[in-house]
Amino acid sequence: MIILTICVLAIAFGTIFARASPLSRPAKLNWSSTKALIAFGDSYTYVQGTIGHQNFSFIGDQFNLAYDAEALLSNKIVQNQTATAEGGPNWVEYLTNCGIHQGLTSPQDCKKQLWDFAFAGADISTEYTPPHHNFTVSLLDQINQFKQYGHPALLNSLPSFTQDKTLVAIWIGINDINDSAKYVVNFPTFYKSLIDTLFTSVEILYNLGYRNYLFMNLPPLDRTPGNQATKDPSPNSGRVV
């Protein structure tokens, strides 16, 4: 089992990241020398790609998991005001300054390349909650997909790409909470299983050589975009989201 230190990202006050290291004191990642960010998660993190599933992904879906290096490297980020949960550029685009402008952006043209494998509507694993659509790619499948296709494509086709100059960002869980809200289960046990599965999937990335990780925590449920968009958002309304 690997040991991970989890830090909070404070964009306004500098960059503090966590490095995964077995039984050693974690070291800070040098953000200025970081060349790429690889992202996994749900609609909070996904970006639209020219060969992704419309309004859901940068590349592929559950029916189209396979791709080669040519497909990945020719893919471009599509920036518009409807493709993301944020209604425009999301946090990974602002963090990397990649894909924030209207139109198409190749990740290769960015100083810090953004390779985003998040899928809108994703949960951690279909073992615990059903997929939102039959084409949805869960976090576990996103990482397995990356292991089989994305990692070798980037490592073998981009001379500048190295694991030690890459930050892995993961933000997941809001769909798991909402989708399981009506379950009749012991929630501490249920959520522990979800977290265990999450970090088992992280070990897949760790074994590929990635050592730098950023884990984003969930917002309080009353601060979710869906709740904020309602006419009478909780907790003012007394409703539970």
Side-chain angles (χ1 to χ4, degrees):
M1 177 65 69
I2 60 175
I3 296 177
L4 299 176
T5 300
I6 302 175
C7 292
V8 175
L9 172 66
I11 296 177
F13 301 99
T15 52
I16 303 174
F17 298 104
R19 170 169 293 187
S21 179
L23 302 179
S24 63
R25 186 170 62 184
K28 291 182 179 179
L29 172 70
N30 186 341
W31 179 240
S32 63
S33 65
T34 297
K35 302 299 183 183
L37 186 146
I38 296 172
F40 302 95
D42 51 39
S43 61
Y44 287 171
T45 301
Y46 114 93
V47 300
Q48 182 64 53
T50 50
I51 58 175
H53 194 115
Q54 183 64 39
N55 294 332
F56 286 91
S57 71
F58 176 69
I59 189 167
D61 57 28
Q62 190 64 38
F63 297 121
N64 301 280
L65 289 175
Y67 53 83
D68 57 19
E70 181 180 359
L72 179 62
L73 300 184
S74 64
N75 198 9
K76 292 180 173 61
I77 297 170
V78 182
Q79 188 50 252
N80 57 56
Q81 296 303 307
T82 62
T84 67
E86 297 76 15
N90 67 23
W91 69 278
V92 290
E93 292 170 304
Y94 281 118
L95 178 60
T96 57
N97 199 35
C98 187
I100 62 173
H101 300 295
Q102 195 80 1
L104 305 180
T105 300
S106 170
Q108 296 183 76
D109 293 337
C110 300
K111 184 176 180 180
K112 296 187 189 302
Q113 298 182 6
L114 172 60
W115 300 102
D116 195 322
F117 303 96
F119 202 97
D123 290 44
I124 292 173
S125 171
T126 56
E127 178 182 356
Y128 306 103
T129 53
H132 285 191
H133 304 91
N134 58 2
F135 54 78
T136 299
V137 182
S138 69
L139 176 76
L140 185 57
D141 286 342
Q142 291 168 32
I143 291 176
N144 282 321
Q145 177 194 36
F146 175 76
K147 175 185 177 181
Q148 188 168 358
Y149 306 109
H151 170 72
L154 295 174
L155 194 63
N156 298 328
S157 302
L158 293 180
S160 62
F161 182 87
T162 59
Q163 295 97 317
D164 63 321
K165 299 294 184 181
T166 298
L167 176 66
V168 177
I170 297 176
W171 195 6
I172 195 74
I174 188 63
N175 294 315
D176 298 86
I177 290 176
N178 286 334
D179 293 346
S180 64
K182 296 182 180 179
Y183 284 10
V184 181
V185 296
N186 180 281
F187 280 105
T189 301
F190 179 75
Y191 290 140
K192 182 181 184 303
S193 297
L194 285 175
I195 293 171
D196 288 345
T197 299
L198 167 62
F199 281 97
T200 296
S201 69
V202 172
E203 290 193 52
I204 296 172
L205 300 170
Y206 185 90
N207 291 333
L208 292 176
Y210 298 93
R211 296 294 183 267
N212 305 307
Y213 295 88
L214 170 63
F215 298 94
M216 297 292 287
N217 201 0
L218 297 177
L221 292 181
D222 63 295
R223 300 298 300 169
T224 61
N227 181 61
Q228 292 300 301
T230 63
K231 293 182 178 179
D232 187 18
S234 60
N236 295 334
S237 66
R239 297 192 302 271
V240 176
V241 178

